mmCIF file of all heavy atoms in Angstrom:
data_model
loop_
_atom_site.group_PDB
_atom_site.id
_atom_site.type_symbol
_atom_site.label_atom_id
_atom_site.label_comp_id
_atom_site.label_asym_id
_atom_site.label_seq_id
_atom_site.Cartn_x
_atom_site.Cartn_y
_atom_site.Cartn_z
ATOM 1 N N ARG A 238 122.296 -140.533 -34.689
ATOM 2 C CA ARG A 238 121.821 -140.528 -33.301
ATOM 3 C C ARG A 238 123.008 -140.753 -32.379
ATOM 4 O O ARG A 238 123.680 -141.785 -32.459
ATOM 5 C CB ARG A 238 120.760 -141.604 -33.082
ATOM 6 C CG ARG A 238 120.073 -141.518 -31.728
ATOM 7 C CD ARG A 238 118.809 -142.365 -31.682
ATOM 8 N NE ARG A 238 118.112 -142.243 -30.402
ATOM 9 C CZ ARG A 238 117.285 -141.264 -30.075
ATOM 10 N NH1 ARG A 238 117.040 -140.300 -30.953
ATOM 11 N NH2 ARG A 238 116.694 -141.233 -28.889
ATOM 12 N N LEU A 239 123.288 -139.777 -31.539
ATOM 13 C CA LEU A 239 124.413 -139.839 -30.619
ATOM 14 C C LEU A 239 123.929 -139.481 -29.219
ATOM 15 O O LEU A 239 123.209 -138.488 -29.048
ATOM 16 C CB LEU A 239 125.521 -138.855 -31.036
ATOM 17 C CG LEU A 239 126.135 -139.044 -32.425
ATOM 18 C CD1 LEU A 239 127.112 -137.910 -32.716
ATOM 19 C CD2 LEU A 239 126.827 -140.392 -32.554
ATOM 20 N N ALA A 240 124.322 -140.264 -28.240
ATOM 21 C CA ALA A 240 123.960 -140.010 -26.837
ATOM 22 C C ALA A 240 122.446 -139.830 -26.686
ATOM 23 O O ALA A 240 121.978 -138.976 -25.925
ATOM 24 C CB ALA A 240 124.713 -138.791 -26.300
ATOM 25 N N GLY A 241 121.676 -140.628 -27.449
ATOM 26 C CA GLY A 241 120.230 -140.582 -27.337
ATOM 27 C C GLY A 241 119.579 -139.396 -28.014
ATOM 28 O O GLY A 241 118.376 -139.167 -27.837
ATOM 29 N N ARG A 242 120.357 -138.653 -28.811
ATOM 30 C CA ARG A 242 119.819 -137.473 -29.489
ATOM 31 C C ARG A 242 119.983 -137.621 -30.990
ATOM 32 O O ARG A 242 121.003 -138.134 -31.472
ATOM 33 C CB ARG A 242 120.539 -136.204 -29.015
ATOM 34 C CG ARG A 242 120.245 -135.807 -27.599
ATOM 35 C CD ARG A 242 121.101 -134.635 -27.141
ATOM 36 N NE ARG A 242 121.088 -133.514 -28.074
ATOM 37 C CZ ARG A 242 121.753 -132.373 -27.871
ATOM 38 N NH1 ARG A 242 122.490 -132.235 -26.774
ATOM 39 N NH2 ARG A 242 121.700 -131.405 -28.739
ATOM 40 N N LEU A 266 129.760 -147.900 -28.690
ATOM 41 C CA LEU A 266 128.885 -146.952 -28.007
ATOM 42 C C LEU A 266 127.712 -147.649 -27.319
ATOM 43 O O LEU A 266 127.188 -147.134 -26.326
ATOM 44 C CB LEU A 266 128.378 -145.898 -28.991
ATOM 45 C CG LEU A 266 129.461 -144.955 -29.542
ATOM 46 C CD1 LEU A 266 128.863 -143.996 -30.566
ATOM 47 C CD2 LEU A 266 130.142 -144.187 -28.415
ATOM 48 N N LEU A 290 131.858 -136.618 -29.764
ATOM 49 C CA LEU A 290 130.602 -135.888 -29.594
ATOM 50 C C LEU A 290 129.692 -136.592 -28.597
ATOM 51 O O LEU A 290 129.004 -135.938 -27.797
ATOM 52 C CB LEU A 290 129.901 -135.743 -30.944
ATOM 53 C CG LEU A 290 130.670 -134.948 -32.008
ATOM 54 C CD1 LEU A 290 129.946 -135.026 -33.342
ATOM 55 C CD2 LEU A 290 130.871 -133.500 -31.581
ATOM 56 N N THR A 291 129.690 -137.923 -28.608
ATOM 57 C CA THR A 291 128.914 -138.674 -27.626
ATOM 58 C C THR A 291 129.421 -138.390 -26.208
ATOM 59 O O THR A 291 128.629 -138.155 -25.286
ATOM 60 C CB THR A 291 128.986 -140.176 -27.924
ATOM 61 O OG1 THR A 291 128.378 -140.433 -29.199
ATOM 62 C CG2 THR A 291 128.266 -140.987 -26.859
ATOM 63 N N LEU A 292 130.736 -138.415 -26.038
ATOM 64 C CA LEU A 292 131.314 -138.104 -24.727
ATOM 65 C C LEU A 292 130.924 -136.694 -24.284
ATOM 66 O O LEU A 292 130.548 -136.470 -23.130
ATOM 67 C CB LEU A 292 132.842 -138.225 -24.785
ATOM 68 C CG LEU A 292 133.420 -139.639 -24.839
ATOM 69 C CD1 LEU A 292 134.905 -139.593 -25.231
ATOM 70 C CD2 LEU A 292 133.257 -140.351 -23.507
ATOM 71 N N LEU A 294 128.381 -134.763 -25.303
ATOM 72 C CA LEU A 294 126.949 -134.647 -25.030
ATOM 73 C C LEU A 294 126.594 -135.294 -23.694
ATOM 74 O O LEU A 294 125.745 -134.791 -22.956
ATOM 75 C CB LEU A 294 126.152 -135.314 -26.153
ATOM 76 C CG LEU A 294 126.108 -134.586 -27.497
ATOM 77 C CD1 LEU A 294 125.606 -135.531 -28.591
ATOM 78 C CD2 LEU A 294 125.213 -133.357 -27.417
ATOM 79 N N SER A 295 127.241 -136.409 -23.385
ATOM 80 C CA SER A 295 126.935 -137.147 -22.160
ATOM 81 C C SER A 295 127.521 -136.490 -20.919
ATOM 82 O O SER A 295 126.944 -136.605 -19.829
ATOM 83 C CB SER A 295 127.470 -138.581 -22.275
ATOM 84 O OG SER A 295 126.921 -139.252 -23.381
#
Side-chain angles (χ1 to χ4, degrees):
R238 189 166 182 82
L239 300 175
R242 291 174 50 179
L266 293 177
L290 298 173
T291 296
L292 286 166
L294 287 165
S295 302

